[in-house]
Amino acid sequence: MAPATTLQRVRHLHWTTPSSFLPHGLSGGVSLVLGLLITSRMLWNDYTLIESVWALPAFVLAGSVNAVAAIVITPRARKAHRPGFRIGATCQLCLLWYAFRFRPEGVAPIERFSPLNLLVRMCDLLSCVGLLGTMAMLLLLSRSIAQQRGTAVAVAVLVGLFGLLTVSAWPLHIVAGGNEWLHWVHQKYPP
């Protein structure tokens, strides 16, 4: 039997695992394509997709479905890989919240003591704790990763961790300052 081609392998993937409500493969493909489109357009100073009413919300929704589905199917993975999948999915959810929160129209006025403001502030806090927690877990796991996969892989994880650390000041600021801080940033540095 001849080896399967890449197209044959892609066709035989389980695109709707674990269910049609949480299609891990399909949502991952959609978020990958949308992420590439949004990022490539922004690299060329074209912000139409990030400012559109559909692209960023669709990207955040597809990525969130992908991360939740990943958490659901994690028990199917080898025991040694499960922590990495859970950490990655949690980090993805936190970063998606920030992609949604820092969007250009994300500074709509919200009454300071409204239930919506409370919900947004709770999501800000949970995402900040989640992002910092995933970074702490990766730091703790880097030694184990070095023993299992080699120093090069552990160094790659630590470099990625450093990159996440450089962007984690914004989540700390938004937890402390809320919408007032975000509004100030958008006034000071318009998109």
Side-chain angles (χ1 to χ4, degrees):
M1 182 189 288
T5 65
T6 303
L7 182 61
Q8 289 172 329
R9 287 187 203 134
V10 169
R11 278 193 9 224
H12 286 94
L13 290 175
H14 301 281
W15 289 96
T16 57
T17 298
S19 73
S20 57
F21 295 110
L22 287 173
H24 181 65
L26 183 61
S27 61
V30 168
S31 66
L32 179 67
V33 168
L34 283 173
L36 286 171
L37 285 172
I38 291 169
T39 304
S40 63
R41 300 276 296 267
M42 287 180 65
L43 289 173
W44 293 103
N45 291 327
D46 179 359
Y47 300 102
T48 54
L49 281 180
I50 201 77
E51 294 171 344
S52 76
V53 295
W54 68 270
L56 188 62
F59 170 72
V60 170
L61 178 64
S64 298
V65 167
N66 181 259
V68 170
I71 292 170
V72 170
I73 63 175
T74 293
R76 298 180 187 179
R78 290 187 211 154
K79 194 172 183 177
H81 296 160
R82 291 177 192 168
F85 289 138
R86 287 188 184 113
I87 290 169
T90 302
C91 187
Q92 180 175 332
L93 285 170
C94 296
L95 292 172
L96 285 165
W97 169 252
Y98 292 123
F100 180 74
R101 185 76 163 106
F102 295 133
R103 73 196 187 285
E105 67 276 2
V107 254
I110 300 174
E111 289 183 38
R112 188 177 197 121
F113 299 106
S114 70
L116 179 59
N117 186 47
L118 180 63
L119 177 65
V120 167
R121 296 301 301 260
M122 284 177 30
C123 288
D124 287 342
L125 180 63
L126 286 173
S127 293
C128 182
V129 169
L131 187 60
L132 293 173
T134 57
M135 289 189 291
M137 292 301 297
L138 282 173
L139 186 60
L140 292 172
L141 285 174
S142 63
R143 183 173 180 194
S144 172
I145 292 169
Q147 291 171 346
Q148 292 177 2
R149 301 285 181 184
T151 306
V153 176
V155 168
V157 168
L158 291 173
V159 167
L161 185 60
F162 178 75
L164 284 173
L165 189 59
T166 61
V167 299
S168 62
W170 283 66
L172 290 171
H173 283 302
I174 201 163
V175 165
N179 262 8
E180 294 82 16
W181 175 81
L182 188 57
H183 185 68
W184 176 84
V185 169
H186 276 271
Q187 283 183 331
K188 189 87 171 159
Y189 307 102

